[in-house]
Amino acid sequence: MTTRETRTDPLAYLAEEIEQLRAQSLYRPLRVMSGPQEPRTTMDGRDVISLSSNNYLGLATHPRLVDAAAEATRELGAGSGAVRTIAGTMELHEELERRLAAFKHVEAVLTFQSGFAANSGVIPTITSERDLIVSDELNHASIIDGVRLSKAGRAVYPHKDVDGLERVLREAREKGGAKGAYRSILVITDGVFSMDGDIAPLPGICDVADRYGASVMVDDAHASGVLGRNGRGTIDHFDLHGRVDIQVGTLSKAVGVLGGYVAGRQHLRDFLVQRSRPFLFSTSHPPAVVAACLAAVDVLEQEPERIGRLWANTRFFKAGLERLGFDTGISETPITPIIVGDSAAAGRMSERLFELGIFAQAVVFPTVALDKARLRTIVTSEHTRNELQACLSAFETVGRELRLI
Ligand SMILES: Cc1ncc(COP(=O)(O)O)c(C=O)c1O
């Protein structure tokens, strides 16, 4: 009889793959935090200044969010107990969607369990084999997966290249009719690109899309809470209200909690409620999450000074890194990569910084191209100048040790 001891492990190839990743310096261990998500926290037992969270505005530990979550849990329980379409829609869920719709100046919003679920849920739901999706080559993995799940035709345009986008749309038109042979064309871009921190050229994208009758979808995960009035995102930043058909936002980054949402017209929301698989087949947020998100919208409206501090810290930190001679790429936002190139060097740099009490995560292939390994940093509104100065001093020490500057 086969026993646990004699049975050959049919998944043994995974261990071999892991060994290969280690040999190529591409294996990423998980750092474990024992404190809350704050600028100073404890990771793997070491006190560190963290430069790698997406908690841009410090809302993850904001007392108003924490109190709202605790109160909702006491009143309504720890879980929602069902998917939204069966018995899992609470008044709180709809209240949050109404608040977000008003905040984003759109007709309607539908929330999802995460930003990932929102992207991968909306794209295949609203497209079919009769449609074409045109996507920026550096769009987020959740967009790429959403496109893979769709039966639509697909094309990729070079990063932020509006002329390249137009070439793709022209080719589609040449296949016949304004939109070619397609029922619809969906142009998708990140608002802020998550690895380089650069901003999509949305006015140009909207102009080209309009000329070809295409709709536009923007993933504003890293712009929500960061760009636009009170953190309304890139559409507000560029004053493009009414010209972007689908906005995806996350509640997991600057908003400080968890979740994602799709914002747009009422019929978009209504259709997603009927057909979007992550919405239909996955349990809704617990009351604590929803109540904390509602409190976060209040904070965004009432404490805009947090966004001011975020940008002041961003300018200070970027200027310091650039003065030291680091390559920070093309970032225009608080996401600041320190591009090292080689994944082994990025890993070494992150390790040495960690020894000096700074957590700056190395990002390597496949998240970025093989020769574009980097440390990806994000300062928050809550870092003090002393903390940022300590980070810069450590970057200088390690940069010189590793001959990067
Ligand atoms: C551009 C972008 N879109 C979507 C997501 C997914 O958001 P969430 O973490 O809420 O699933 C992320 C987060 O990694 C992201 O960077």
Side-chain angles (χ1 to χ4, degrees):
M1 193 184 72
T2 311
T3 65
R4 181 191 285 267
E5 286 69 35
T6 59
R7 183 168 181 262
T8 323
D9 175 8
L11 297 180
Y13 64 92
L14 296 179
E16 286 161 28
E17 301 246 349
I18 287 170
E19 274 323 303
Q20 281 177 23
L21 290 178
R22 283 192 210 282
Q24 296 165 298
S25 306
L26 295 177
Y27 184 79
R28 292 178 283 187
L30 297 178
R31 296 266 188 219
V32 181
M33 287 198 308
S34 44
Q37 186 59 271
E38 287 178 337
R40 281 182 188 274
T41 188
T42 307
M43 265 185 185
D44 290 351
R46 188 185 289 271
D47 292 338
V48 292
I49 301 174
S50 172
L51 283 177
S52 288
S53 87
N54 297 310
N55 186 24
Y56 289 97
L57 302 174
L59 299 198
T61 54
H62 192 295
R64 286 178 71 174
L65 275 73
V66 173
D67 288 349
E71 202 176 308
T73 303
R74 273 194 301 273
E75 268 182 30
L76 296 168
S80 77
V83 300
R84 288 282 299 271
T85 46
I86 299 185
T89 298
M90 296 176 157
E91 282 173 358
L92 268 186
H93 292 111
E94 299 219 319
E95 188 185 339
L96 175 62
E97 290 169 344
R98 281 193 300 273
R99 276 301 293 283
L100 288 170
F103 184 70
K104 299 286 278 187
H105 300 312
V106 294
E107 283 176 16
V109 157
L110 189 69
T111 52
F112 285 74
Q113 294 80 359
S114 67
F116 201 106
N119 271 331
S120 57
V122 69
I123 298 167
T125 307
I126 62 164
T127 54
S128 74
E129 45 281 269
R130 290 184 291 159
D131 306 310
L132 175 69
I133 301 172
V134 189
S135 181
D136 185 291
E137 65 179 338
L138 292 189
N139 276 343
H140 189 257
S142 52
I143 294 177
I144 296 172
D145 283 10
V147 175
R148 285 179 180 155
L149 286 170
S150 168
K151 295 194 175 82
R154 52 186 89 154
V156 168
Y157 63 93
H159 183 47
K160 294 204 312 188
D161 180 350
V162 175
D163 293 335
L165 167 62
E166 179 148 29
R167 273 194 298 280
V168 173
L169 295 177
R170 197 177 310 119
E171 277 168 28
R173 174 183 278 177
E174 278 158 12
K175 288 188 187 151
K179 293 179 215 155
Y182 301 104
R183 174 185 66 170
S184 80
I185 299 178
L186 177 63
V187 176
I188 311 180
T189 182
D190 278 6
V192 171
F193 289 86
S194 58
M195 289 301 134
D196 289 295
D198 50 336
I199 303 174
L202 282 190
I205 290 175
C206 287
D207 286 347
V208 171
D210 280 350
R211 281 204 291 281
Y212 289 82
S215 47
V216 176
M217 167 171 158
V218 176
D219 171 5
D220 248 355
H222 286 282
S224 310
V226 174
L227 286 172
R229 287 166 303 148
N230 301 77
R232 284 180 168 79
T234 48
I235 284 79
D236 194 77
H237 171 75
F238 286 117
D239 198 12
L240 290 170
H241 291 287
R243 295 193 58 199
V244 170
D245 307 281
I246 303 166
Q247 298 180 50
V248 170
T250 178
L251 303 164
S252 330
K253 301 186 194 301
V255 173
V257 196
L258 173 72
Y261 59 92
V262 176
R265 291 199 182 276
Q266 185 65 46
H267 54 66
L268 172 67
R269 180 185 190 274
D270 292 346
F271 191 70
L272 293 173
V273 169
Q274 301 306 311
R275 285 283 183 271
S276 184
R277 293 169 72 83
F279 182 82
L280 289 167
F281 297 111
S282 186
T283 298
S284 58
H285 280 149
V289 166
V290 192
C293 289
L294 273 163
V297 182
D298 288 339
V299 173
L300 287 176
E301 285 176 344
Q302 292 162 22
E303 298 180 24
E305 61 277 10
R306 284 179 180 264
I307 302 176
R309 286 205 302 274
L310 169 68
W311 281 96
N313 277 348
T314 298
R315 283 189 290 274
F316 175 81
F317 190 60
K318 269 190 206 303
L321 286 172
E322 280 156 23
R323 238 188 340 268
L324 290 173
F326 285 107
D327 175 5
T328 57
I330 51 173
S331 167
E332 302 166 81
T333 65
I335 298 173
T336 305
I338 290 101
I339 299 173
V340 173
D342 173 56
S343 36
R348 264 199 311 281
M349 185 171 183
S350 179
E351 277 302 325
R352 273 297 289 137
L353 284 168
F354 195 70
E355 286 163 14
L356 298 180
I358 311 294
F359 176 57
Q361 178 73 308
V363 180
V364 298
F365 182 80
T367 310
V368 294
L370 255 183
D371 61 343
K372 293 267 188 257
R374 64 197 58 194
L375 270 59
R376 175 176 176 270
T377 64
I378 298 183
V379 301
T380 72
S381 59
E382 305 313 287
H383 284 90
T384 64
R385 281 297 153 95
N386 281 345
E387 286 164 351
L388 294 180
Q389 193 52 61
C391 293
L392 289 171
S393 301
F395 269 87
E396 180 171 13
T397 305
V398 175
R400 291 200 197 293
E401 262 176 38
L402 301 180
R403 296 178 191 283
L404 294 167
I405 50 171

